[in-house]
Amino acid sequence: MGCVSVILADRYPVFLCGLISVLREQDDFDIVASCCNGTECIRAIRNLSPRIALLDISMPGLSGLEILATAASEGLCTRVLLLTASMETHELATAAARGAYGVVPKDASPETLIGCLRRVAAGQKMLPFLLSGEEPRQVQGRRARNGDTQDILSLLTERERQIMQLVSEGLSNKEIGHWLDISDGTIKVHLHNIYQKLSINNRTTLAALAMCQQAESAWLIRSH
């Protein structure tokens, strides 16, 4: 894989120094910049094109999610891994929808963080947070652990899974109805049922869960 270039960004200088110390102990990472605000961070990403940007999800100037959206809109190739103090469902959903490679809790161990970075460097997405040995966390009111997205999706019928997949591909209700040869009203009924079963309330979250499931399935295949 070679030495992986990384930009680090966190609003708290002490935490940022800790990240720098952890990564400097590894021979396979090269810290090319460190920043305490989002404006400096996106500028560094544009100028240095690191393979990975490890960002605080909440920063002054631009948040990690805003940086993620900007990088995606500009076609920047840097893989963004977000750090957060709370694993909120809406953060996971938004991060997945905007193309994040992962969301890692700030209380993760250094070994866990390094493992995440190495997997992201290898091209693996870490959505949802899929690491054995970690304390299970709440996602959509259910336990989030290895394989758990598969368990959640087992609540859906085959037709509902098809609709979920098409929503994740950006299709409108009309386009989904045309693709599946069913009416717009039937699509709305299916979506209502899906939202009820998964305890969500919008297409963005549904699309994010679909992408999480795809990433999890790929990870499970590679790990066996």
Side-chain angles (χ1 to χ4, degrees):
M1 185 186 302
C3 199
V4 177
S5 56
V6 181
I7 283 177
L8 303 176
D10 194 276
R11 67 185 304 160
Y12 298 115
V14 172
F15 190 86
L16 183 59
C17 287
L19 289 175
I20 292 170
S21 296
V22 169
L23 263 68
R24 279 182 175 167
E25 293 179 356
Q26 311 302 315
D27 295 333
D28 49 342
F29 294 105
D30 177 25
I31 302 170
V32 295
S34 59
C35 316
C36 286
N37 67 71
T39 304
E40 291 178 1
C41 181
I42 190 63
R43 185 183 303 122
I45 291 173
R46 287 172 178 143
N47 293 336
L48 301 172
S49 299
R51 185 178 304 180
I52 297 175
L54 179 62
L55 314 178
D56 185 357
I57 206 167
S58 176
M59 286 188 295
L62 291 173
S63 70
L65 291 173
E66 288 171 328
I67 291 170
L68 184 59
T70 300
S73 68
E74 295 180 8
L76 304 178
C77 60
T78 297
R79 299 168 184 173
V80 177
L81 184 62
L82 297 170
L83 289 162
T84 181
S86 62
M87 297 291 280
E88 297 292 338
T89 298
H90 74 276
E91 288 182 343
L92 288 169
T94 303
R98 294 184 181 180
Y101 267 73
V103 180
V104 180
K106 282 193 168 184
D107 61 358
S109 67
E111 293 78 16
T112 294
L113 177 60
I114 292 299
C116 285
L117 286 167
R118 285 176 177 149
R119 290 174 181 175
V120 169
Q124 177 185 324
K125 287 201 171 186
M126 304 297 296
L127 289 164
F129 187 65
L130 298 170
L131 292 172
S132 60
E134 292 295 313
E135 180 65 23
R137 299 173 186 277
Q138 293 290 340
V139 175
Q140 299 297 352
R142 298 176 174 87
R143 302 301 277 177
R145 47 186 177 265
N146 287 348
D148 203 42
T149 306
Q150 303 285 351
D151 294 338
I152 292 172
L153 297 187
S154 68
L155 298 170
L156 305 182
T157 65
E158 181 61 31
R159 176 65 85 192
E160 288 167 347
R161 289 195 193 103
Q162 289 175 335
I163 291 171
M164 181 180 184
Q165 176 60 37
L166 293 172
V167 166
S168 75
E169 294 173 8
L171 274 65
S172 67
N173 283 3
K174 183 176 180 180
E175 291 169 328
I176 293 172
H178 178 73
W179 185 265
L180 299 178
D181 195 24
I182 54 180
S183 70
D184 183 66
T186 301
I187 296 295
K188 290 179 180 177
V189 171
H190 279 305
L191 285 172
H192 174 77
N193 292 337
I194 292 168
Y195 294 165
Q196 290 289 315
K197 289 179 180 181
L198 301 184
S199 300
I200 61 177
N201 57 17
N202 60 70
R203 297 171 78 91
T204 299
T205 305
L206 180 61
L209 282 174
M211 287 184 280
C212 288
Q213 187 270 335
Q214 292 164 9
E216 181 172 335
S217 295
W219 181 82
L220 290 171
I221 290 170
R222 284 194 294 267
S223 65
H224 287 85

